[in-house]
Amino acid sequence: MAKKAVATFAAKAGAKSMVRCIRMEKSPKTGAYVFTEQVIEEAKAKEFFEKK
């Protein structure tokens, strides 16, 4: 079953240009750090890190 899921994901168009981006932000309420994680296109990675 897992092999089929991987094969289906790899077969999709543009799957190779996807990257996982993780940004660390400081919570204004508690002061603790929160991690924001998204899987986005490689071309939009720079925009992801510029947002606050």
Side-chain angles (χ1 to χ4, degrees):
M1 182 182 259
K3 288 183 181 180
K4 183 178 180 184
V6 172
T8 304
F9 180 73
K12 290 183 181 178
K16 293 183 181 180
S17 65
M18 301 296 278
V19 292
R20 175 178 284 168
C21 296
I22 303 170
R23 178 178 56 218
M24 185 171 68
E25 301 173 340
K26 193 168 187 176
S27 174
K29 292 182 181 179
T30 62
Y33 286 98
V34 179
F35 293 93
T36 305
E37 181 177 338
Q38 283 186 346
V39 178
I40 57 175
E41 294 179 19
E42 188 175 0
K44 297 181 181 179
K46 191 172 185 178
E47 296 173 10
F48 174 78
F49 289 112
E50 289 176 352
K51 286 192 251 178
K52 294 201 175 197

